[in-house]
Amino acid sequence: MMTKDQIGFRYQKVFGEKATYIVRSPGRINIIGEHTDYNEGFVLPTAIDKGVYVAVAKRDDDLVRLYAESFEELFEVKLSDVEALPEGWQNYVLGVVGELRERGYELGGFNLYLDGDIPVGAGLSSSAAVECATGFALNVLFDLAIDRIAIALIGQQAEHKYAGVQCGIMDQFASAMSRAGQVIKLDCRDLSFSYKPLELGDYTILLLNTNVNHSLASSAYNERRKSCERSVGLVQGKFQDVISLRDVTLTMLEECVERIDNEAYIKSKFVLEENQRVEKACEFLENGNLDMLGSLLYEAHTGLSNEYEVSCVELDFLVEYVKQFPEVLGARMMGGGFGGCTINLVHKSFEDLLIERLVPVYKERFGLSLTAIKVVPSNGTEVLL
Ligand code: GLA
């Protein structure tokens, strides 16, 4: 973790004065419930101990000046000229600024310094963390009195309009709302949620980062979303009350979608099953039935890979490889897909050994280094005092 003093010191080096606020927003894991959020389904995420740090102070003029440590790049724009750029890290900050202005919040010029320790492209939601950190920092800096969930929703809109990814609410919600040692069971239909203790006994969660980030990820993501919407449209032809896949049953899919749009049928069937897996996972967590929880992870991966088609060879390889070890209860790809991490439920005594075994095998197979990330379920966004 980075410290408040480190971030404050570096802010001062760039902007020549002291920061007023320093905010930390974490990345996230998701136990299960993938590609369900934008279908008004369930997810089971929590924050991790890796995050994005934002330091801010007001300016006397109407300029927005941003500095990203990892790009060593300074960016400047007039507040009234803020708009989406064709690409770049700035969009996650500018998107939040733009969305706040759109909602009528009064902002002034400000300096913002950005740094973090979430590996980018690992599927740990560094972009949502930037959005939430920016939202929280501007909220306190300009006294906007916006609540946490509203900040998460603003972050999601920033992602849609500035980064061009039609994401659900899971990542921003987890970054803003998580509590240490717990997971959030979130109903993405109405944003009702409850915290559940993440008690894994002798087991632990280990992330294995493929270190690949296939470039088609965001367009493929938006396509998946469209397939699900096509199903809803077809079902609505017969069942007018249906709003989202959440209202759809397997029978409805078979009746209205299967023969007309098989692609949409397969994708939507996965979503229905994935929602059921979240429910089951909660039960298994509550009863301490970790074997069954692990099996669910493997099952989810098979669906994500073969049906939802958001995996890749590297992810499939990692999941297949760990199946041979009884000390690993389950594994699956995590997040949007096409690269990033697998999430593994591993016996504590086997964690280091597994990493030792896998790193050279992965290197030999793909010519890439595999990085292991030990997860500590952590608090959501915090203003560091
Ligand atoms: C990305 C999106 C989330 C969610 C996941 C898949 O992380 O940002 O909203 O859809 O993919 O579960």
Side-chain angles (χ1 to χ4, degrees), residues 28 33-35 37-38 167-171 221 335-336:
R28 62 102 191 88
E34 226 61 91
H35 292 273
D37 59 354
Y38 53 84
C167 66
I169 189 62
M170 169 168 73
D171 304 347
Y221 183 94

Side-chain angles (χ1 to χ4, degrees), residues 178-249:
S178 290
R179 285 193 189 157
Q182 321 222 7
V183 289
I184 307 175
K185 185 188 179 202
L186 173 66
D187 182 342
C188 301
R189 159 156 275 183
D190 57 10
L191 299 189
S192 57
F193 63 97
S194 55
Y195 294 101
K196 309 217 170 279
L198 188 60
E199 283 160 2
L200 300 176
D202 291 337
Y203 288 82
T204 188
I205 288 173
L206 176 69
L207 304 181
L208 297 169
N209 187 359
T210 58
N211 284 306
V212 296
N213 180 12
H214 294 291
S215 59
L216 282 174
S218 60
S219 57
Y221 183 94
N222 292 344
E223 274 168 32
R224 297 298 177 279
R225 188 168 179 150
K226 286 212 182 92
S227 297
C228 296
E229 284 163 5
R230 285 207 307 279
S231 285
V232 173
L234 286 169
V235 173
Q236 279 168 338
K238 175 142 191 214
F239 303 93
Q240 281 86 12
D241 292 344
V242 161
I243 294 171
S244 68
L245 278 188
R246 179 69 175 277
D247 309 309
V248 170
T249 61

